[in-house]
Amino acid sequence: MIDVIVAGGGPTGLMLAGELRLHGLHVLVLEKETAPTSYVRALGLHARSIEVMDQRGLLERFLAVGQQHPVGGFFAAIPKPSPGGLDSAHAYVLGIPQTTTDRLLSEHASEVGVEIRRGAELVGLSQDDDGVTVQLADGVRLRARYLVGCDGGRSTVRGLLGVGFPGEPSSVETLLGEMEVGVPPETVAEVVAEIRKTHLRFGLGPLGDGVYRVLVPAEGVVEDRSVAPTIEDFAHQLRVYAGTDFGVHSPRWLSRFGDATRLAERYRVGRVLLAGDAAHIHPPTGGQGLNLGIQDAFNLGWKLAADINGWAPEGLLDSYHDERHPVAADVLNNTRAQMLLLSPEPGPRSVRQLLSELLDFEDVNRYLIEKITAIGVRYDFGAGHHLLGRHMRDVRLRRGRLYELMHAGRGLLLDQTGRLSVAGWAQRVDHVVDVSEELDVPAVLLRPDGHVAWVGDDQSDLLGQLPRWFGAPVA
């Protein structure tokens, strides 16, 4: 009996697998592709995902191969400076291609003991009270306590479960690829600058050695999305919009994406759960998709491990849907709005101009950037302190940094009073007595995902909250 089978070896599945292994579970990742993809769908990590990597001791790997960029101008590509006062020690975007993110997360998963099986396509599943039976295309049958579908927007797991995926189909498509051009860089820059005055879904970005990342609206919406575009398709559409095809040739890879927006009705059916694109799809505006999936995995991992290890309080695993479904709904809404603001039509352009003026107000700029970067997410834990339900940013302590103490994926009580206790929960919650000039509350209880579960200095009040997140005490 495997503890958890993860269907899909993309960033969501690999992040989840690594989280589960922190708690000693036997995890198998099934990936139907025989080799890693060369397509670069996503280009970076936002602040909350950077925090996630820091909380698990992975950030140095990403910083070594990524490039830090200002976080301003991400809402509908409206050029504005980074807002001040962002609630994160990582108030930047880390530019890093998804292929590199996949590699780093795969290396981490392998290091901690995750089994990754490539060329293994899931085609069937059934479940009972004790577990899930998975059937592969080659006839192999596997048994696990839980199955998590992280298998993308066309999720086989979601389809087999019969979970509804309501929303809107694509109304427009965009061609995306990497290829060489046959004209000087100055010519490319001049033409692109002129076209982007009216067509914001158009661009050619230099990658070095004459290779460009090319983005251009497609001619229409194809029926079969699995059919990749050709270099001739790119050349034709470039001529339509720019009057030149820039002499594009020698493509590295070519793809297309649409603006379909859909959200799974449920994230859990018995012992099967959904995460990442299997649970939600939306346009790539703002660069939120990969980040949303990584954060799904970060929320789910410790809860699923708690259930399997036998100490999860009632309702903990269901809180995954309760917390993450509204977050995805909000992302879908803001990407819908951004796509409208990218339209070259007069009405949306007028709204874009008005919003650009509003973004000159610091509070408006900060509010929208906090949406894009997910540091504004607050789970509903009930009434209480303004920190309750929010992520806790990394703060400096006398003996180091907060995030350095969270690598093991356990809960953490940061106690500036020295008078509190987690006796009975010491196997699940680390008690850190230290102080920080950046923290103006006596103590905070953090869940393993870094969200604030309690604030205060009263021991009896703390004892009322520990069972809610960490189960019954151990004598």
Side-chain angles (χ1 to χ4, degrees), residues 142-161:
L142 302 169
R143 183 79 170 158
R145 301 182 193 281
Y146 282 93
L147 167 68
V148 185
C150 303
D151 51 342
R154 301 183 184 89
S155 171
T156 299
V157 172
R158 188 188 63 242
L160 291 170
L161 282 178

Side-chain angles (χ1 to χ4, degrees), residues 111-331:
E111 289 168 8
V112 297
V114 173
E115 181 186 353
I116 302 173
R117 192 177 301 180
R118 287 196 164 275
E121 182 180 1
L122 183 152
V123 296
L125 68 88
S126 61
Q127 61 175 314
D128 53 42
D129 292 341
D130 299 318
V132 184
T133 300
V134 167
Q135 182 172 342
L136 305 185
D138 60 5
V140 170
R141 296 169 70 87
L142 302 169
R143 183 79 170 158
R145 301 182 193 281
Y146 282 93
L147 167 68
V148 185
C150 303
D151 51 342
R154 301 183 184 89
S155 171
T156 299
V157 172
R158 188 188 63 242
L160 291 170
L161 282 178
V163 171
F165 204 40
E168 307 90 49
S170 289
S171 59
V172 297
E173 283 190 346
T174 306
L175 304 183
L176 175 66
E178 292 181 4
M179 61 203 71
E180 296 182 34
V181 304
V183 298
E186 297 79 13
T187 301
V188 175
E190 181 180 349
V191 174
V192 169
E194 183 63 29
I195 301 304
R196 282 186 60 82
K197 291 178 181 178
T198 53
H199 294 284
L200 293 166
R201 288 168 46 225
F202 181 96
L204 282 82
L207 300 175
D209 297 326
V211 177
Y212 281 74
R213 184 177 174 92
V214 178
L215 187 78
V216 61
E219 189 169 5
V221 178
V222 299
E223 291 187 13
D224 186 356
R225 293 283 310 283
S226 66
V227 177
T230 65
I231 190 67
E232 288 75 21
D233 293 329
F234 277 81
H236 174 74
Q237 291 304 105
L238 288 169
R239 289 192 294 270
V240 168
Y241 283 87
T244 174
D245 61 13
F246 301 95
V248 291
H249 64 95
S250 305
R252 291 182 174 180
W253 55 266
L254 306 173
S255 67
R256 69 175 79 239
F257 64 86
D259 63 340
T261 307
R262 298 185 181 278
L263 179 60
E265 292 177 336
R266 292 179 290 170
Y267 281 14
R268 180 188 179 191
V269 177
R271 291 181 170 271
V272 185
L273 300 102
L274 302 172
D277 288 353
H280 38 70
I281 59 171
H282 54 84
T285 44
Q288 300 169 88
L290 177 147
N291 292 273
L292 184 61
I294 285 176
Q295 293 154 30
D296 284 348
F298 205 55
N299 183 284
L300 174 59
W302 69 278
K303 296 174 180 178
L304 187 52
D307 186 275
I308 293 173
N309 286 328
W311 60 261
E314 184 177 357
L316 181 66
L317 190 52
D318 285 330
S319 74
Y320 165 63
H321 170 95
D322 297 339
E323 292 175 3
R324 296 304 297 171
H325 195 270
V327 172
D330 188 68
V331 170

Side-chain angles (χ1 to χ4, degrees), residues 181-471:
V181 304
V183 298
E186 297 79 13
T187 301
V188 175
E190 181 180 349
V191 174
V192 169
E194 183 63 29
I195 301 304
R196 282 186 60 82
K197 291 178 181 178
T198 53
H199 294 284
L200 293 166
R201 288 168 46 225
F202 181 96
L204 282 82
L207 300 175
D209 297 326
V211 177
Y212 281 74
R213 184 177 174 92
V214 178
L215 187 78
V216 61
E219 189 169 5
V221 178
V222 299
E223 291 187 13
D224 186 356
R225 293 283 310 283
S226 66
V227 177
T230 65
I231 190 67
E232 288 75 21
D233 293 329
F234 277 81
H236 174 74
Q237 291 304 105
L238 288 169
R239 289 192 294 270
V240 168
Y241 283 87
T244 174
D245 61 13
F246 301 95
V248 291
H249 64 95
S250 305
R252 291 182 174 180
W253 55 266
L254 306 173
S255 67
R256 69 175 79 239
F257 64 86
D259 63 340
T261 307
R262 298 185 181 278
L263 179 60
E265 292 177 336
R266 292 179 290 170
Y267 281 14
R268 180 188 179 191
V269 177
R271 291 181 170 271
V272 185
L273 300 102
L274 302 172
D277 288 353
H280 38 70
I281 59 171
H282 54 84
T285 44
Q288 300 169 88
L290 177 147
N291 292 273
L292 184 61
I294 285 176
Q295 293 154 30
D296 284 348
F298 205 55
N299 183 284
L300 174 59
W302 69 278
K303 296 174 180 178
L304 187 52
D307 186 275
I308 293 173
N309 286 328
W311 60 261
E314 184 177 357
L316 181 66
L317 190 52
D318 285 330
S319 74
Y320 165 63
H321 170 95
D322 297 339
E323 292 175 3
R324 296 304 297 171
H325 195 270
V327 172
D330 188 68
V331 170
L332 266 60
N333 281 336
N334 83 57
T335 56
R336 287 185 182 104
Q338 290 184 75
M339 285 298 293
L340 186 64
L341 293 168
L342 295 177
S343 169
E345 296 299 320
R349 288 179 67 184
S350 297
V351 178
R352 181 183 179 87
Q353 177 58 40
L354 176 60
L355 183 58
S356 179
E357 295 170 10
L358 292 174
L359 281 167
D360 288 331
F361 291 94
E362 186 84 354
D363 288 347
V364 176
N365 192 13
R366 183 184 307 109
Y367 176 78
L368 291 179
I369 289 299
E370 286 184 348
K371 274 189 176 294
I372 294 291
T373 60
I375 60 175
V377 169
R378 183 179 186 181
Y379 299 139
D380 184 6
F381 294 173
H385 194 277
H386 71 88
L387 288 177
L388 195 65
R390 289 182 59 89
H391 77 113
M392 173 58 69
R393 66 182 176 88
D394 191 23
V395 296
R396 293 203 170 274
L397 309 171
R398 285 182 178 174
R399 293 175 288 176
R401 297 188 299 117
L402 174 64
Y403 284 6
E404 292 174 335
L405 306 175
M406 303 186 72
H407 294 177
R410 294 153 53 87
L412 186 146
L413 175 66
L414 177 56
D415 179 7
Q416 298 196 102
T417 73
R419 299 190 303 269
L420 300 172
S421 171
V422 294
W425 289 272
Q427 295 177 348
R428 303 164 200 160
V429 180
D430 294 325
H431 184 193
V432 177
V433 178
D434 205 338
V435 296
S436 172
E437 296 180 357
E438 303 173 48
L439 192 61
D440 61 357
V441 295
V444 291
L445 176 66
L446 305 181
R447 306 191 315 183
D449 60 1
H451 281 259
V452 178
W454 175 83
V455 179
D457 60 1
D458 182 83
Q459 180 66 32
S460 61
D461 190 29
L462 173 62
L463 292 176
Q465 288 300 313
L466 282 165
R468 177 181 178 183
W469 302 109
F470 301 101

